Amino acid sequence: MKTIKAGPLAGGLAMAAGSASATSTVTLSQGTFENGSQSISYTLDAATGTANAGSFFMNDTASTDSFLMWCIDIVTTLANPTTFEIDPTPAPLSAAQLERVERVFDANYDGSTPVNAEASAAMSVAVWDAVHDSDFNASLQNGMASD
């Protein structure tokens, strides 16, 4: 079972799960990418790979609740569906990582869904860069994310 930390990044999950305690669980299935996605190639700590970049919906399998989210872990693929344990302790990111991700959202996300796959993929790359780097200097050219 995966654990979701009920910190700022898991706010949507905490709302979807209702009142969270250390023993709460929620089973989510991945929905569609909102307005599409883009396949990108990346290099991270000398490892290379590919990922679909873009926002996507997660659906609570016990209700009709769904919410839009971006992945913060570029190298891990979600199982579908996945059961998560809601853990009210702080998020698994450092304070500096959380601050950078918050800055990305504050500067680029107004609460609406991205207008197209390019904008959605760009937001994904910005979030990944905020989690894995500190200079806000990622680029995406010809489907290749680099720092």
Side-chain angles (χ1 to χ4, degrees), residues 122-141:
M123 184 69 170
S124 288
V125 171
V127 168
W128 291 328
D129 186 56
V131 169
H132 296 285
D133 200 4
S134 62
D135 64 7
F136 295 105
N137 192 27
S139 65
L140 184 60
Q141 296 179 327

Side-chain angles (χ1 to χ4, degrees), residues 22-42:
T23 59
S24 296
T25 61
V26 62
T27 301
L28 301 175
S29 63
Q30 183 175 345
T32 59
F33 279 96
E34 178 63 13
N35 292 319
S37 65
Q38 289 191 334
S39 179
I40 64 159
S41 299
Y42 64 87

Side-chain angles (χ1 to χ4, degrees), residues 101-117:
V101 170
E102 184 176 10
R103 287 175 60 191
V104 167
F105 275 88
D106 287 349
N108 300 291
Y109 184 63
D110 65 2
S112 60
T113 58
V115 295
N116 58 37

Side-chain angles (χ1 to χ4, degrees), residues 39-92:
S39 179
I40 64 159
S41 299
Y42 64 87
T43 300
L44 177 64
D45 298 330
T48 60
T50 60
N52 287 323
S55 60
F56 55 94
F57 282 101
M58 290 297 283
N59 306 301
D60 182 347
T61 61
S63 73
T64 58
D65 294 337
S66 66
F67 52 94
L68 187 66
M69 67 183 293
W70 280 266
C71 177
I72 62 169
D73 183 354
I74 194 171
V75 297
T76 303
T77 302
L78 293 174
N80 197 17
T82 300
T83 299
F84 295 91
E85 181 178 303
I86 307 301
D87 183 351
T89 60

